[in-house]
């Protein structure tokens, strides 16, 4: 049977469509319809692609990827506590955890005060009161991302993730838990809120270079930056006056200040507080390491034994306020080394205006910019300064500073080096263990 025997040709404008003319006309109409449909589809595709490019969850877990971080899902962490640099490490760890979960980290609360055990007395302070929020996102764009709580659409769509604790909660178990939360059903929640301990105490899964990349994005707010600049300017001014008096006593005024920026200074992070000495003695016994604690006399001796250090040099002592009334920290230094702390320098009023966290941030900048820095390798404060100074040298093309005369040298005074001086210090940026910049070590690359 012919399937087309009963088919009647349709009519268009009174003509049969089997004519050549009508068939051509029909083809033109069909093409016009298809064109409209296709153009509409491509237009919609373009709008979706532009709007939702950050929502594509195709990124692998590797932190070497730079495809961007999803901005419609968020991670919330507990208030960050303890010292400034422990807080910076905790913040970086929270950022990297959010990155692994392909989420934006909601801007966390830092702690302006310093109470190790009285958590309820910690004074919260917003991240953007210390560091520049927009600048952070600009510098870390594509690597990690900070968000505001106002970015959250549904504040009831929160899932709480309880971090494990204790000896049974191993690094492997912690990593397995994070991997689970990348998947559904957890991945469907707009906000994952981690509850429990401070992020500084979380297990670590990332190498030093990933932490360093986050630290590079932390830029102090303008107010704190200006205060640090005032302290540094005062140090250089004192150094200029001292050097001018020695080299040209008949014309010591140099009123134009043209040589102010050329005067070098040395910064020493003196970890000799009573609570630190108790802690480091216990740490030495527990870890069976003798090179952790350093007395005031040992620090003075080793700093004075640096070969080739130009004198006279102003030595800025970054010390706790409790030691500012102790005149003994200013005596006993080698001839040509001129020690100053906040009070003698006349800048203690700058520090007293602010809570602990901002005071520490100012001191950090002063030490970071010093021509030579001396610290304790078991101190987080000193370790992060050494790391940033290492990064500066790497950017200058220097890959190994050991035994070289370089622009930004750092030394660990708690480790004996050549000529009875401190050991040269450079952070190993390829280290896979956070211990190199956090928990303390006497393996300092050089």
């Amino acid at each position: 049977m012919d399937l087309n025997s009963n088919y009647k040709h349709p009519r268009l404008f009174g003509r049969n469509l089997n004519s050549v003319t009508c068939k051509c006309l029909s083809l033109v109409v069909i093409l016009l319809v298809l064109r409209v449909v296709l153009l509409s589809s491509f237009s919609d595709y373009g709008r979706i692609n532009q709007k939702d490019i950050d929502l594509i969850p195709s990124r692998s877990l590797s932190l070497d990827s730079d495809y961007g971080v999803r901005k419609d899902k968020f991670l919330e962490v507990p208030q960050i506590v303890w010292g400034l640099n422990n807080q910076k490490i905790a913040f970086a760890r929270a950022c990297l955890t959010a990155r692994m979960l392909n989420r934006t980290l909601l801007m966390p609360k830092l702690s302006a005060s310093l109470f190790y055990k009285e958590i309820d007395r910690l004074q919260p302070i917003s991240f953007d009161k210390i560091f520049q929020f927009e600048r952070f996102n600009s510098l870390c764009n594509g690597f990690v991302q900070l968000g505001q709580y106002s970015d959250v659409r549904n504040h009831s769509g929160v899932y709480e993730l309880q971090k494990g604790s204790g000896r049974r909660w191993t690094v492997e178990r912690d990593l397995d838990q994070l991997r689970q939360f990348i998947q559904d059903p957890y991945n469907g929640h707009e906000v994952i809120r981690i509850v429990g301990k401070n992020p500084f105490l979380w297990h670590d899964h990332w190498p030093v270079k990933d932490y360093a990349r986050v630290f590079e994005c932390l830029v102090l707010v303008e107010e704190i930056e200006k205060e640090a600049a005032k302290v540094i300017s005062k140090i250089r001014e004192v150094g200029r006056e001292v050097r001018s008096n020695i080299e040209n006593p008949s014309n010591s005024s140099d009123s134009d200040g043209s040589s102010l920026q050329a005067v070098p200074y040395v910064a020493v992070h003196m970890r000799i507080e009573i609570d630190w000495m108790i802690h480091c003695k216990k740490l030495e016994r527990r870890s069976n390491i003798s090179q952790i604690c350093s007395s005031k006399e040992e620090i003075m001796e080793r700093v004075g034994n640096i070969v080739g250090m130009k004198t006279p040099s102003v030595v800025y002592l970054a010390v706790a306020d409790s030691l500012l009334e102790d005149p003994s920290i200013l005596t006993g230094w080698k001839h040509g080394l001129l020690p100053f702390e906040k009070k003698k320098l006349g800048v203690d009023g700058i520090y007293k205006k602010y809570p602990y966290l901002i005071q520490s941030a100012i001191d950090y900048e002063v030490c970071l910019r010093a021509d030579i820095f001396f610290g304790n390798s078991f101190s987080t404060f000193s370790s992060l300064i050494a790391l940033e100074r290492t990064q500066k040298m790497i950017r200058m093309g220097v890959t190994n500073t050991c035994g070289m005369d370089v622009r930004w040298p750092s030394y660990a005074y708690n480790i004996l080096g050549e000529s009875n001086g401190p050991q040269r210090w450079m952070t190993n940026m390829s280290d896979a263990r956070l211990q190199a910049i956090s928990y303390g070590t006497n393996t300092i690359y050089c």
Side-chain angles (χ1 to χ4, degrees), residues 211-230:
Y211 281 90
R213 187 165 179 186
V214 175
F215 296 148
E216 283 187 309
C217 304
L218 293 172
V219 179
L220 291 173
V221 296
E222 187 176 352
E223 179 186 356
I224 302 176
E225 173 69 28
K226 287 181 177 179
E227 299 289 35
K230 289 178 185 176

Side-chain angles (χ1 to χ4, degrees), residues 281-399:
K281 289 294 183 183
K282 291 180 179 178
L283 188 59
E284 283 187 337
R285 289 194 297 268
R286 188 165 62 248
S287 59
N288 197 28
I289 297 175
S290 60
Q291 294 178 316
I292 300 179
C293 304
S294 287
S295 65
K296 174 183 61 180
E297 292 75 20
E298 183 178 79
I299 296 172
M300 292 177 180
E301 178 186 2
R302 291 185 177 177
V303 170
N305 288 333
I306 289 294
V307 177
M309 185 164 63
K310 296 179 180 180
T311 57
S313 288
V314 172
V315 180
Y316 176 73
L317 306 179
V319 297
D321 289 343
S322 60
L323 297 174
L324 296 182
E325 305 296 332
D326 181 5
S328 67
I329 65 172
L330 299 174
T331 60
W333 293 86
K334 186 177 180 179
H335 179 71
L337 298 182
L338 311 172
F340 286 82
E341 34 73 77
K342 300 177 185 70
K343 191 171 184 179
K344 183 180 177 182
L345 197 61
V347 297
D348 53 326
I350 293 177
Y351 288 83
K352 288 179 179 178
K353 294 188 298 182
Y354 299 104
Y356 155 77
L357 193 69
I358 296 178
Q359 292 182 24
S360 185
I362 295 172
D363 252 3
Y364 185 92
E365 284 298 304
V366 175
C367 291
L368 180 65
R369 301 184 198 179
D371 295 88
I372 305 176
F373 171 70
F374 299 89
N376 188 302
S377 67
F378 279 80
S379 161
T380 307
F381 183 99
S382 294
S383 295
L384 293 196
I385 290 175
L387 179 146
E388 285 206 48
R389 291 168 71 90
T390 297
Q391 287 179 292
K392 283 186 178 183
M393 289 184 285
I394 291 174
R395 285 193 290 268
M396 293 171 60
V398 178
T399 57

Side-chain angles (χ1 to χ4, degrees), residues 60-272:
S60 70
L61 292 182
S62 171
L63 296 193
D64 293 326
S65 169
D66 281 331
Y67 286 106
V69 179
R70 195 170 56 190
K71 298 176 183 177
D72 67 328
K73 302 288 184 180
F74 304 92
L75 181 72
E76 181 181 357
V77 299
Q79 179 179 342
I80 296 174
V81 300
W82 293 2
L84 169 67
N85 292 284
N86 285 346
Q87 291 190 51
K88 287 166 70 173
I89 290 174
F91 169 76
R93 182 172 291 165
C95 284
L96 296 173
T97 301
R99 176 175 167 80
M100 181 178 180
L101 298 178
N102 195 9
R103 288 174 175 263
T104 291
L105 177 68
L106 288 172
M107 187 168 62
K109 292 287 186 182
L110 304 179
S111 299
S113 52
L114 181 62
F115 291 92
Y116 288 96
K117 296 181 180 179
E118 299 165 301
I119 303 297
D120 58 323
R121 295 182 61 190
L122 286 169
Q123 178 186 348
I125 186 170
S126 178
F127 171 90
D128 58 1
K129 297 298 182 182
I130 307 294
F131 302 105
Q132 297 181 34
F133 175 83
E134 296 293 344
R135 184 69 172 150
F136 179 87
N137 277 342
S138 175
L139 292 173
C140 265
N141 183 38
F143 187 68
V144 294
Q145 181 79 24
L146 273 183
Q148 303 271 17
Y149 278 83
S150 58
D151 297 332
V152 178
R153 296 187 299 272
N154 179 13
H155 288 269
S156 63
V158 178
Y159 187 92
E160 291 194 345
L161 186 162
Q162 178 70 52
K163 275 274 188 177
S165 61
R167 293 183 179 180
R168 293 186 177 181
W169 190 259
T170 62
V171 174
E172 292 75 20
R173 290 187 66 181
D174 188 82
L175 186 59
D176 287 342
Q177 183 190 53
L178 292 178
R179 285 171 173 160
Q180 289 176 11
F181 274 77
I182 301 173
Q183 305 168 4
D184 289 330
Y186 312 109
N187 189 50
H189 294 275
E190 184 181 9
V191 178
I192 291 178
R193 176 187 297 145
I194 297 184
V195 296
K197 55 190 178 182
N198 165 39
F200 182 70
L201 298 176
W202 294 355
H203 283 299
D204 179 65
H205 309 292
W206 301 280
V208 168
K209 66 180 180 67
D210 288 331
Y211 281 90
R213 187 165 179 186
V214 175
F215 296 148
E216 283 187 309
C217 304
L218 293 172
V219 179
L220 291 173
V221 296
E222 187 176 352
E223 179 186 356
I224 302 176
E225 173 69 28
K226 287 181 177 179
E227 299 289 35
K230 289 178 185 176
V231 177
I232 294 171
S233 178
K234 185 65 175 177
I235 294 172
R236 294 196 184 280
E237 179 184 347
V238 169
R240 179 172 60 88
E241 292 173 355
V242 169
R243 180 163 294 181
S244 182
N245 286 332
I246 293 175
E247 296 177 353
N248 190 13
S250 62
N251 185 23
S252 60
S253 59
D254 192 17
S255 58
D256 66 352
S258 59
S259 62
L260 183 61
Q261 295 303 319
V263 177
Y265 73 94
V266 173
V268 181
H269 178 219
M270 295 192 74
R271 285 299 261 140
I272 55 174

Side-chain angles (χ1 to χ4, degrees), residues 10-61:
R11 300 177 65 83
L12 182 64
F13 305 121
R15 295 179 179 270
N16 289 332
L17 283 180
N18 58 350
S19 69
V20 175
T21 303
C22 290
K23 286 182 178 179
C24 290
L25 183 60
S26 299
L27 183 60
V28 170
V29 172
I30 293 171
L31 289 175
L32 287 173
V33 172
L34 286 174
R35 182 176 181 272
V36 172
V37 172
L38 289 174
L39 284 176
S40 176
S41 299
F42 282 128
S43 177
D44 289 341
Y45 173 81
R47 287 195 295 272
I48 293 171
N49 191 46
Q50 285 295 114
K51 180 180 179 181
D52 298 332
I53 190 168
D54 291 316
L55 309 185
I56 301 173
S58 59
R59 183 168 60 84
S60 70
L61 292 182

